[in-house]
Coordinates of all heavy atoms in Angstrom, one line a residue:
M8 N -5.4 6.6 6.6 CA -4.8 6.7 7.9 C -5.7 6.4 8.9 O -7.0 6.7 8.8 CB -4.3 8.2 8.0 CG -3.3 8.7 6.9 SD -1.9 7.7 6.7 CE -1.1 7.9 8.3
V9 N -5.3 5.6 9.9 CA -6.2 5.3 11.0 C -5.5 5.6 12.3 O -4.5 5.1 12.7 CB -6.5 3.7 10.9 CG1 -7.3 3.4 12.2 CG2 -7.2 3.3 9.6
N10 N -6.0 6.6 13.0 CA -5.4 7.0 14.2 C -6.5 6.8 15.4 O -7.6 7.3 15.3 CB -5.0 8.5 14.2 CG -4.1 8.9 13.1 OD1 -4.5 9.4 12.1 ND2 -2.8 8.5 13.3
R11 N -5.9 6.0 16.4 CA -6.9 5.9 17.6 C -6.5 6.8 18.8 O -5.3 7.0 18.9 CB -6.9 4.5 17.9 CG -7.3 3.5 16.9 CD -7.4 2.0 17.3 NE -6.3 1.5 18.0 CZ -6.3 0.8 19.0 NH1 -7.6 0.2 19.3 NH2 -5.3 0.2 19.6
F12 N -7.4 7.1 19.6 CA -7.2 8.0 20.7 C -8.0 7.5 21.9 O -9.1 6.9 21.7 CB -7.8 9.4 20.4 CG -7.1 10.1 19.3 CD1 -7.6 9.8 17.9 CD2 -6.1 11.0 19.3 CE1 -7.0 10.4 16.8 CE2 -5.5 11.6 18.3 CZ -6.0 11.2 17.0
R13 N -7.5 7.9 23.1 CA -8.2 7.6 24.3 C -8.6 9.0 25.0 O -7.8 9.9 25.0 CB -7.5 6.9 25.3 CG -7.2 5.3 24.9 CD -7.5 4.4 26.0 NE -7.5 3.1 25.6 CZ -8.5 2.3 25.5 NH1 -9.6 2.6 25.7 NH2 -8.1 1.0 25.0
G14 N -9.9 9.2 25.3 CA -10.3 10.4 25.9 C -11.8 10.4 26.0 O -12.6 9.5 25.6
G15 N -12.3 11.4 26.8 CA -13.6 11.6 27.0 C -14.4 12.3 25.8 O -13.8 12.5 24.7
E16 N -15.6 12.7 26.2 CA -16.5 13.4 25.2 C -15.8 14.6 24.6 O -16.1 14.9 23.5 CB -17.8 13.6 25.8 CG -18.8 14.1 24.8 CD -19.2 13.3 23.7 OE1 -19.3 12.0 23.9 OE2 -19.6 13.7 22.6
G17 N -14.9 15.3 25.4 CA -14.3 16.5 25.0 C -13.4 16.3 23.8 O -13.1 17.2 23.0
L18 N -13.0 15.1 23.6 CA -12.0 14.7 22.5 C -12.8 14.8 21.2 O -12.2 15.1 20.1 CB -11.5 13.3 22.7 CG -10.5 12.7 21.5 CD1 -9.3 13.6 21.5 CD2 -10.1 11.3 22.0
R19 N -14.1 14.6 21.1 CA -14.9 14.7 20.0 C -14.7 15.9 19.3 O -14.3 16.0 18.0 CB -16.4 14.4 20.3 CG -17.2 14.5 19.0 CD -18.6 14.3 19.5 NE -19.6 14.4 18.3 CZ -20.7 14.0 18.4 NH1 -21.4 13.5 19.5 NH2 -21.6 14.1 17.3
A20 N -14.8 17.2 19.9 CA -14.7 18.5 19.5 C -13.2 18.6 18.8 O -13.1 19.2 17.7 CB -15.0 19.5 20.3
D21 N -12.3 18.1 19.5 CA -10.9 18.3 19.0 C -10.9 17.5 17.7 O -10.1 18.0 16.7 CB -9.8 17.7 20.1 CG -9.8 18.6 21.2 OD1 -10.2 19.8 21.2 OD2 -9.4 18.0 22.3
L22 N -11.2 16.3 17.6 CA -11.2 15.5 16.4 C -11.9 16.0 15.2 O -11.4 16.1 14.0 CB -11.6 14.0 16.8 CG -10.7 13.2 17.7 CD1 -11.4 11.9 18.0 CD2 -9.2 13.1 17.1
E23 N -13.1 16.6 15.5 CA -13.9 17.3 14.6 C -13.1 18.5 13.9 O -13.1 18.7 12.7 CB -15.2 17.8 15.0 CG -16.2 16.6 15.3 CD -17.6 17.0 16.1 OE1 -17.5 18.1 16.6 OE2 -18.5 16.3 16.0
G24 N -12.5 19.2 14.7 CA -11.6 20.3 14.4 C -10.5 19.9 13.5 O -10.1 20.4 12.4
V25 N -9.8 18.8 13.8 CA -8.7 18.3 13.1 C -9.2 17.7 11.7 O -8.6 17.9 10.6 CB -7.9 17.2 13.8 CG1 -7.1 16.4 12.9 CG2 -7.2 17.7 15.0
L26 N -10.3 17.1 11.7 CA -10.9 16.5 10.5 C -11.3 17.6 9.5 O -10.9 17.5 8.3 CB -12.1 15.7 10.8 CG -12.8 15.0 9.5 CD1 -11.7 14.0 8.8 CD2 -14.0 14.1 10.0
A27 N -11.8 18.7 10.0 CA -12.0 19.9 9.1 C -10.6 20.4 8.6 O -10.7 20.8 7.3 CB -12.7 21.0 10.0
L28 N -9.7 20.5 9.3 CA -8.4 21.0 8.8 C -7.9 20.0 7.8 O -7.2 20.4 6.8 CB -7.4 21.2 10.0 CG -7.7 22.2 11.0 CD1 -6.7 22.1 12.2 CD2 -7.5 23.6 10.2
L29 N -7.9 18.7 8.0 CA -7.3 17.8 7.0 C -8.2 17.8 5.8 O -7.7 17.7 4.7 CB -7.4 16.4 7.7 CG -6.5 16.1 8.9 CD1 -6.8 14.7 9.5 CD2 -5.0 16.1 8.3
A30 N -9.5 17.9 5.8 CA -10.4 17.9 4.7 C -10.2 19.1 3.8 O -10.4 19.1 2.6 CB -11.8 18.0 5.1
A31 N -9.5 20.1 4.3 CA -9.2 21.4 3.5 C -7.9 21.2 2.7 O -7.7 22.0 1.9 CB -9.2 22.6 4.4
Q32 N -7.2 20.1 2.9 CA -6.0 19.9 2.3 C -6.1 19.3 0.9 O -6.9 18.4 0.8 CB -5.0 19.2 3.3 CG -4.8 19.7 4.6 CD -4.2 21.1 4.4 OE1 -3.2 21.4 3.8 NE2 -4.8 22.2 5.1
P33 N -5.2 19.6 0.0 CA -5.1 18.9 -1.3 C -4.7 17.4 -1.0 O -4.0 17.1 -0.2 CB -4.0 19.7 -2.0 CG -3.8 20.9 -1.3 CD -4.2 20.7 0.1
G34 N -5.4 16.6 -1.9 CA -5.2 15.2 -1.8 C -6.1 14.4 -0.9 O -6.2 13.2 -0.8
Y35 N -7.0 15.2 -0.1 CA -7.9 14.5 1.0 C -9.0 14.0 0.1 O -9.5 14.5 -0.8 CB -8.4 15.7 1.9 CG -9.5 15.1 2.7 CD1 -9.1 14.5 4.0 CD2 -10.9 15.3 2.5 CE1 -10.2 14.2 4.9 CE2 -11.8 14.9 3.3 CZ -11.5 14.2 4.4 OH -12.5 13.8 5.4
V36 N -9.4 12.8 0.5 CA -10.4 12.0 -0.3 C -11.6 12.0 0.6 O -12.7 12.2 0.2 CB -10.0 10.6 -0.7 CG1 -11.2 9.8 -1.3 CG2 -8.8 10.7 -1.6
E37 N -11.6 11.4 1.9 CA -12.7 11.3 2.8 C -12.1 11.0 4.2 O -11.0 10.6 4.3 CB -13.7 10.3 2.3 CG -13.2 8.9 2.4 CD -14.2 7.9 2.0 OE1 -15.3 8.1 1.9 OE2 -13.7 6.6 1.7
G38 N -13.1 11.2 5.2 CA -12.6 10.9 6.6 C -13.9 10.8 7.4 O -15.0 11.2 7.0
S39 N -13.6 10.2 8.7 CA -14.8 10.0 9.5 C -14.1 10.0 10.9 O -12.8 9.7 11.1 CB -15.5 8.7 9.2 OG -14.7 7.7 9.2
I40 N -15.0 10.1 11.9 CA -14.6 9.9 13.3 C -15.6 8.9 13.9 O -16.8 8.9 13.6 CB -14.9 11.3 14.1 CG1 -13.9 12.4 13.7 CG2 -14.6 11.0 15.5 CD1 -14.3 13.8 14.1
G41 N -15.1 8.0 14.7 CA -15.7 6.9 15.3 C -15.4 6.7 16.8 O -14.4 7.3 17.2
R42 N -16.4 6.2 17.5 CA -16.2 5.9 18.9 C -16.6 4.4 19.1 O -17.5 4.0 18.6 CB -17.2 6.8 19.8 CG -16.8 6.7 21.2 CD -17.7 7.6 22.1 NE -18.9 7.1 22.2 CZ -19.8 7.6 23.1 NH1 -19.5 8.6 23.9 NH2 -21.0 7.0 23.1
N43 N -15.7 3.8 19.9 CA -15.9 2.3 20.1 C -17.2 2.1 20.9 O -17.5 2.7 21.9 CB -14.6 1.8 20.9 CG -14.6 0.2 21.0 OD1 -15.3 -0.3 21.8 ND2 -13.9 -0.2 20.1
L44 N -17.8 1.1 20.6 CA -19.1 0.8 21.3 C -18.9 0.2 22.6 O -19.6 0.4 23.6 CB -20.0 -0.2 20.4 CG -20.5 0.3 19.1 CD1 -21.1 -0.8 18.3 CD2 -21.4 1.4 19.4
D45 N -17.8 -0.7 22.8 CA -17.5 -1.3 24.1 C -16.7 -0.6 25.0 O -16.9 -0.7 26.2 CB -16.8 -2.7 23.8 CG -17.7 -3.6 23.0 OD1 -18.9 -3.7 23.3 OD2 -17.1 -4.3 22.0
E46 N -15.9 0.4 24.5 CA -15.0 1.2 25.3 C -15.3 2.7 24.8 O -14.5 3.1 23.9 CB -13.5 0.8 25.1 CG -13.1 -0.5 25.7 CD -11.8 -0.8 25.5 OE1 -11.0 0.0 25.9 OE2 -11.4 -2.0 25.1
P47 N -16.2 3.3 25.4 CA -16.5 4.7 24.9 C -15.5 5.7 25.0 O -15.5 6.8 24.3 CB -17.8 5.1 25.8 CG -18.2 3.7 26.3 CD -17.1 2.9 26.4
D48 N -14.3 5.5 25.6 CA -13.4 6.3 25.7 C -12.2 6.1 24.5 O -11.2 6.8 24.4 CB -12.5 6.4 27.0 CG -11.9 5.2 27.3 OD1 -12.2 4.1 26.9 OD2 -10.8 5.3 28.0
L49 N -12.5 5.2 23.7 CA -11.6 4.9 22.7 C -12.2 5.5 21.3 O -13.4 5.0 20.9 CB -11.5 3.3 22.4 CG -10.5 2.8 21.3 CD1 -9.1 3.4 21.7 CD2 -10.5 1.3 21.4
W50 N -11.5 6.4 20.7 CA -12.0 7.1 19.4 C -11.0 6.7 18.3 O -9.9 6.3 18.5 CB -12.0 8.4 19.7 CG -12.9 8.9 20.8 CD1 -12.8 8.9 22.2 CD2 -14.1 9.6 20.5 NE1 -13.8 9.6 22.7 CE2 -14.7 9.9 21.9 CE3 -14.9 10.0 19.4 CZ2 -15.9 10.5 22.0 CZ3 -16.1 10.7 19.6 CH2 -16.6 10.9 20.9
V51 N -11.6 6.9 17.1 CA -10.8 6.6 15.9 C -11.0 7.8 14.9 O -12.2 8.3 14.7 CB -11.1 5.3 15.2 CG1 -12.5 5.2 14.7 CG2 -10.1 5.0 14.1
L52 N -10.0 8.3 14.2 CA -10.0 9.2 13.2 C -9.5 8.5 11.9 O -8.3 8.1 11.9 CB -9.1 10.4 13.5 CG -9.0 11.5 12.5 CD1 -10.3 12.2 12.0 CD2 -7.9 12.5 12.8
T53 N -10.2 8.3 11.0 CA -10.0 7.7 9.7 C -10.0 8.6 8.6 O -11.0 9.3 8.4 CB -10.8 6.4 9.5 OG1 -10.9 5.6 10.7 CG2 -10.4 5.6 8.4
T54 N -8.9 8.6 7.7 CA -8.9 9.5 6.5 C -8.4 8.7 5.4 O -7.5 7.9 5.7 CB -8.1 10.8 6.8 OG1 -6.8 10.5 7.2 CG2 -8.7 11.8 7.8
R55 N -8.8 9.1 4.2 CA -8.3 8.5 3.0 C -7.7 9.7 2.1 O -8.1 10.7 2.1 CB -9.3 7.8 2.3 CG -9.7 6.5 2.8 CD -10.7 5.7 2.0 NE -10.1 5.4 0.7 CZ -11.0 5.5 -0.5 NH1 -12.2 5.7 -0.5 NH2 -10.3 5.3 -1.7
W56 N -6.7 9.3 1.5 CA -5.8 10.3 0.8 C -5.4 9.8 -0.5 O -5.4 8.6 -0.9 CB -4.5 10.6 1.5 CG -4.8 11.3 2.8 CD1 -5.1 10.7 4.0 CD2 -4.9 12.6 3.1 NE1 -5.5 11.5 5.1 CE2 -5.3 12.9 4.5 CE3 -4.8 13.8 2.2 CZ2 -5.4 14.0 5.1 CZ3 -5.0 15.0 3.0 CH2 -5.3 15.1 4.3
E57 N -5.1 10.6 -1.5 CA -4.8 10.2 -2.9 C -3.6 9.3 -2.7 O -3.3 8.5 -3.5 CB -4.6 11.4 -3.7 CG -5.8 12.1 -4.1 CD -5.7 13.4 -5.0 OE1 -4.4 13.7 -5.2 OE2 -6.7 14.0 -5.3
S58 N -2.6 9.7 -1.9 CA -1.3 9.1 -1.7 C -0.7 9.4 -0.4 O -1.3 10.3 0.3 CB -0.3 9.5 -2.7 OG 0.1 10.9 -2.6
V59 N 0.2 8.6 0.1 CA 0.7 8.9 1.5 C 1.5 10.2 1.4 O 1.6 11.0 2.3 CB 1.8 7.7 1.9 CG1 2.9 7.7 1.0 CG2 2.1 7.8 3.4
G60 N 1.9 10.6 0.2 CA 2.6 11.8 0.0 C 1.8 13.1 0.3 O 2.2 14.1 0.9
T61 N 0.5 12.9 -0.2 CA -0.5 14.0 0.1 C -0.8 14.2 1.4 O -0.9 15.3 2.0 CB -1.7 13.9 -0.8 OG1 -2.3 12.7 -0.5 CG2 -1.5 14.0 -2.3
Y62 N -0.7 13.1 2.2 CA -1.0 13.1 3.7 C 0.1 13.8 4.4 O -0.1 14.6 5.3 CB -1.3 11.7 4.2 CG -1.4 11.6 5.7 CD1 -2.6 12.2 6.4 CD2 -0.4 11.1 6.5 CE1 -2.7 12.2 7.7 CE2 -0.6 11.1 7.9 CZ -1.6 11.6 8.4 OH -1.7 11.5 9.9
R63 N 1.3 13.4 4.1 CA 2.5 13.9 4.7 C 2.7 15.5 4.4 O 3.0 16.3 5.3 CB 3.8 13.2 4.3 CG 3.7 11.8 4.9 CD 4.9 11.0 4.6 NE 4.9 9.7 5.1 CZ 5.5 8.7 4.6 NH1 6.2 8.7 3.6 NH2 5.4 7.4 5.4
R64 N 2.3 15.9 3.2 CA 2.3 17.3 2.9 C 1.3 18.1 3.6 O 1.4 19.2 4.0 CB 2.2 17.6 1.4 CG 3.5 17.2 0.5 CD 3.5 17.6 -0.8 NE 2.6 16.8 -1.5 CZ 2.7 15.7 -2.2 NH1 3.9 15.0 -1.9 NH2 1.9 14.9 -2.9
A65 N 0.2 17.3 3.9 CA -0.9 18.0 4.6 C -0.5 18.4 6.0 O -0.9 19.4 6.6 CB -2.2 17.2 4.5
L66 N 0.2 17.3 6.6 CA 0.8 17.6 7.9 C 1.6 18.8 8.1 O 1.9 19.3 9.1 CB 1.3 16.3 8.4 CG 0.3 15.2 8.7 CD1 1.2 14.1 9.2 CD2 -0.8 15.6 9.7
S67 N 2.2 19.2 7.0 CA 3.1 20.3 6.9 C 2.6 21.6 6.8 O 3.2 22.6 6.9 CB 4.2 20.1 5.8 OG 5.0 18.9 6.0
S68 N 1.3 21.7 6.6 CA 0.5 23.0 6.3 C 0.5 23.7 7.7 O 0.5 23.2 8.7 CB -0.9 22.8 5.9 OG -1.7 22.3 7.0
Y69 N 0.6 25.1 7.6 CA 0.7 25.8 8.9 C -0.4 25.5 9.8 O -0.2 25.5 10.9 CB 0.7 27.3 8.3 CG 0.7 28.3 9.6 CD1 1.8 28.5 10.3 CD2 -0.5 29.0 10.0 CE1 1.8 29.4 11.3 CE2 -0.5 29.7 11.1 CZ 0.7 30.0 11.7 OH 0.8 30.8 12.8
D70 N -1.6 25.5 9.4 CA -3.0 25.4 10.2 C -2.8 23.9 10.9 O -3.1 23.9 12.0 CB -4.2 25.5 9.4 CG -4.5 27.0 9.1 OD1 -4.0 27.8 9.8 OD2 -5.4 27.1 8.1
L71 N -2.4 22.9 10.2 CA -2.3 21.6 10.8 C -1.2 21.6 11.9 O -1.4 21.0 12.9 CB -2.0 20.6 9.7 CG -3.1 19.6 9.4 CD1 -3.8 19.1 10.6 CD2 -3.9 19.9 8.4
K72 N -0.1 22.3 11.5 CA 1.0 22.3 12.5 C 0.5 23.1 13.8 O 0.9 22.7 14.9 CB 2.2 23.1 12.0 CG 3.0 22.2 11.0 CD 4.3 22.9 10.6 CE 5.1 22.1 9.6 NZ 6.3 22.7 9.1
L73 N -0.2 24.1 13.7 CA -0.5 24.9 14.7 C -1.8 24.4 15.5 O -1.7 24.4 16.8 CB -1.0 26.3 14.3 CG -1.3 27.4 15.2 CD1 0.0 27.7 16.1 CD2 -1.7 28.7 14.5
H74 N -2.8 23.9 14.8 CA -3.9 23.4 15.5 C -4.2 21.9 15.5 O -4.9 21.4 16.3 CB -5.2 24.1 14.9 CG -5.1 25.6 15.0 ND1 -5.2 26.4 16.2 CD2 -4.9 26.5 13.9 CE1 -5.2 27.7 15.8 NE2 -5.0 27.7 14.6
G75 N -3.8 21.3 14.5 CA -3.9 19.8 14.4 C -3.0 18.8 15.0 O -3.3 17.9 15.7
L76 N -1.6 19.3 14.9 CA -0.6 18.3 15.4 C -0.8 18.2 17.0 O -0.4 17.1 17.6 CB 0.7 18.7 15.0 CG 1.0 18.5 13.6 CD1 2.5 18.9 13.2 CD2 0.8 17.1 13.2
P77 N -1.2 19.3 17.7 CA -1.3 19.1 19.1 C -2.3 17.9 19.6 O -2.2 17.2 20.5 CB -1.8 20.3 19.7 CG -1.2 21.3 18.8 CD -1.2 20.6 17.4
V78 N -3.3 17.7 18.7 CA -4.4 16.8 18.9 C -3.9 15.5 18.4 O -3.9 14.4 19.0 CB -5.7 17.1 18.1 CG1 -6.7 15.9 18.3 CG2 -6.3 18.4 18.8
L79 N -3.4 15.5 17.1 CA -2.7 14.1 16.5 C -1.6 13.5 17.3 O -1.5 12.4 17.3 CB -2.4 14.5 15.1 CG -3.4 14.7 14.1 CD1 -3.0 15.1 12.7 CD2 -4.4 13.6 14.0
S80 N -0.9 14.4 18.0 CA 0.2 13.9 18.9 C -0.3 13.0 20.0 O 0.5 12.4 20.7 CB 1.1 15.0 19.3 OG 0.4 15.8 20.2
R81 N -1.6 13.1 20.3 CA -2.2 12.4 21.6 C -2.7 11.0 21.0 O -3.3 10.3 21.9 CB -3.4 13.1 22.1 CG -2.9 14.4 22.7 CD -4.0 15.4 23.3 NE -5.4 15.1 23.3 CZ -6.4 15.8 23.1 NH1 -6.2 17.0 22.9 NH2 -7.5 15.3 23.2
A82 N -2.5 10.7 19.8 CA -2.9 9.4 19.2 C -2.1 8.3 19.9 O -1.0 8.5 20.3 CB -2.8 9.3 17.8
I83 N -2.8 7.1 20.1 CA -2.1 5.8 20.5 C -1.0 5.6 19.6 O -1.0 5.6 18.4 CB -3.1 4.7 20.6 CG1 -4.2 5.1 21.6 CG2 -2.5 3.4 21.0 CD1 -5.3 4.1 21.6
D84 N 0.2 5.3 20.3 CA 1.5 5.1 19.5 C 1.4 3.6 18.7 O 1.7 2.7 19.4 CB 2.7 5.2 20.3 CG 4.0 5.1 19.6 OD1 4.0 5.4 18.3 OD2 5.0 4.9 20.3
E85 N 1.0 3.7 17.6 CA 0.9 2.6 16.8 C 1.0 2.9 15.3 O 0.7 4.0 14.9 CB -0.4 1.7 17.1 CG -1.6 2.3 16.8 CD -2.9 1.7 17.3 OE1 -2.7 0.7 18.1 OE2 -3.9 2.1 17.0
P86 N 1.2 1.9 14.4 CA 1.2 2.2 12.9 C -0.1 2.7 12.6 O -1.2 2.3 13.0 CB 1.6 0.9 12.3 CG 2.3 0.1 13.3 CD 1.7 0.6 14.7
S87 N -0.2 3.7 11.6 CA -1.4 4.3 11.3 C -1.7 4.2 9.7 O -2.8 4.6 9.4 CB -1.5 5.6 11.8 OG -0.5 6.5 11.3
A88 N -0.8 3.9 9.0 CA -0.9 3.9 7.5 C -1.3 2.6 7.0 O -0.5 1.6 7.3 CB 0.3 4.5 6.8
Y89 N -2.4 2.5 6.3 CA -2.9 1.2 5.8 C -3.1 1.4 4.3 O -3.5 2.5 3.7 CB -4.2 0.8 6.4 CG -4.0 0.3 8.0 CD1 -3.9 1.4 8.9 CD2 -3.8 -1.0 8.2 CE1 -3.8 1.0 10.2 CE2 -3.6 -1.3 9.5 CZ -3.7 -0.4 10.6 OH -3.5 -0.8 11.9
E90 N -3.0 0.3 3.5 CA -3.4 0.3 2.1 C -4.6 -0.4 1.9 O -4.8 -1.5 2.7 CB -2.3 -0.2 1.2 CG -1.8 -1.7 1.3 CD -0.7 -2.1 0.7 OE1 -0.6 -1.7 -0.5 OE2 0.0 -2.9 1.1
L91 N -5.4 -0.1 1.0 CA -6.6 -0.8 0.6 C -6.3 -2.1 0.1 O -5.4 -2.1 -0.8 CB -7.5 0.0 -0.2 CG -8.2 1.2 0.5 CD1 -9.1 2.0 -0.5 CD2 -9.0 0.8 1.6
V92 N -6.9 -3.1 0.4 CA -6.6 -4.6 -0.3 C -7.8 -4.8 -1.1 O -9.1 -4.9 -0.6 CB -6.5 -5.7 0.8 CG1 -6.4 -6.9 0.2 CG2 -5.4 -5.3 1.8
E93 N -7.7 -4.7 -2.3 CA -8.7 -5.0 -3.5 C -8.4 -6.3 -4.1 O -7.2 -6.9 -4.1 CB -8.7 -4.0 -4.4 CG -9.1 -2.6 -3.7 CD -9.0 -1.3 -4.6 OE1 -8.4 -1.6 -5.7 OE2 -9.6 -0.3 -4.2
P94 N -9.4 -7.1 -4.7 CA -9.1 -8.3 -5.3 C -8.0 -8.2 -6.4 O -7.9 -7.2 -7.2 CB -10.5 -8.7 -6.1 CG -11.4 -7.8 -5.2 CD -10.7 -6.5 -4.7
N95 N -7.1 -9.2 -6.3 CA -6.0 -9.2 -7.2 C -5.1 -8.1 -7.3 O -4.2 -8.0 -8.3 CB -6.5 -9.6 -8.7 CG -7.4 -10.8 -8.8 OD1 -7.1 -11.8 -8.2 ND2 -8.4 -10.6 -9.4
A96 N -5.2 -7.2 -6.3 CA -4.2 -6.1 -6.2 C -2.8 -6.6 -5.8 O -2.7 -7.4 -4.9 CB -4.7 -5.0 -5.3
V97 N -1.8 -6.0 -6.3 CA -0.4 -6.2 -5.8 C -0.2 -5.3 -4.6 O -0.4 -4.1 -4.8 CB 0.6 -6.0 -6.9 CG1 2.0 -6.2 -6.3 CG2 0.4 -6.8 -8.0
L98 N 0.1 -5.9 -3.5 CA 0.3 -5.2 -2.2 C 1.8 -4.6 -2.1 O 2.6 -5.2 -2.7 CB -0.1 -6.0 -1.0 CG -1.5 -6.5 -1.0 CD1 -1.9 -7.3 0.3 CD2 -2.6 -5.3 -1.1
N99 N 1.9 -3.7 -1.2 CA 3.2 -3.2 -0.9 C 4.0 -4.3 -0.4 O 3.6 -5.3 0.2 CB 3.1 -2.1 0.2 CG 3.5 -0.7 -0.2 OD1 4.1 -0.6 -1.2 ND2 3.0 0.2 0.6
V100 N 5.3 -4.4 -0.5 CA 6.4 -5.2 -0.1 C 6.4 -5.0 1.5 O 6.5 -3.9 1.9 CB 7.7 -5.0 -0.7 CG1 8.8 -5.9 -0.1 CG2 7.7 -5.0 -2.2
P101 N 6.3 -6.0 2.2 CA 6.2 -6.0 3.6 C 7.6 -5.6 4.2 O 8.7 -6.1 3.5 CB 5.9 -7.4 4.1 CG 5.5 -8.3 3.0 CD 5.9 -7.5 1.8
G102 N 7.6 -4.8 5.2 CA 8.9 -4.4 5.8 C 8.8 -3.0 6.5 O 7.9 -2.2 6.0
S103 N 9.6 -2.8 7.3 CA 9.6 -1.5 8.0 C 10.2 -0.4 7.0 O 11.0 -0.6 6.2 CB 10.6 -1.5 9.2 OG 10.8 -0.3 9.8
R104 N 9.5 0.7 7.2 CA 9.9 1.9 6.3 C 10.7 2.9 7.1 O 11.0 4.0 6.6 CB 8.6 2.6 5.8 CG 7.8 1.7 4.9 CD 6.8 2.4 4.2 NE 6.1 1.7 3.3 CZ 6.4 1.3 2.0 NH1 7.5 1.7 1.4 NH2 5.6 0.5 1.4
V105 N 11.1 2.5 8.3 CA 12.0 3.3 9.1 C 13.4 3.3 8.7 O 13.9 2.1 8.5 CB 11.8 3.0 10.7 CG1 12.7 3.7 11.4 CG2 10.4 3.0 11.1
T106 N 14.0 4.4 8.4 CA 15.4 4.2 7.8 C 16.3 5.1 8.9 O 15.8 5.9 9.6 CB 15.5 4.8 6.6 OG1 15.1 6.2 6.5 CG2 14.9 4.0 5.6

């Protein structure tokens, strides 16, 4: 998952809190927070999960709903789910998943 945000230095603490909540969820693999070098008000929260299902279930946890979603809802509105591209891997079928 790749979520980008715009905000000042105060956003850092909010993202650190969300990352800690996400890291406590089943299926979490790893995550990080980054800040753009050219536009310091542009931040990124990147997480890896065992599957998209584990990520979606993590968002349903009580703590994430209460403390994480208010921060995550401030993300730039753009697609955030990516799959890793490895040599010779069969990729997902292209197309919208919105139904």
Side-chain angles (χ1 to χ4, degrees):
M8 301 305 297
V9 178
N10 300 105
R11 296 186 318 141
F12 301 82
R13 289 227 178 253
E16 185 63 31
L18 181 58
R19 178 180 181 172
D21 291 341
L22 293 176
E23 288 172 344
V25 169
L26 184 57
L28 290 170
L29 290 169
Q32 300 303 311
Y35 173 87
V36 176
E37 66 181 349
S39 61
I40 298 167
R42 188 173 77 163
N43 189 282
L44 295 172
D45 297 317
E46 295 183 45
D48 70 326
L49 184 60
W50 295 78
V51 65
L52 171 64
T53 306
T54 55
R55 286 189 53 219
W56 297 85
E57 290 176 1
S58 68
V59 71
T61 57
Y62 173 71
R63 290 180 177 156
R64 283 188 292 280
L66 293 179
S67 297
S68 76
Y69 177 78
D70 285 339
L71 248 321
K72 283 183 180 178
L73 186 62
H74 302 291
L76 290 183
V78 176
L79 291 173
S80 68
R81 296 176 6 215
I83 296 171
D84 186 17
E85 62 187 11
S87 60
Y89 292 83
E90 62 183 322
L91 292 179
V92 178
E93 298 174 342
N95 301 317
V97 176
L98 300 179
N99 245 342
V100 176
S103 175
R104 298 198 182 268
V105 177
T106 57

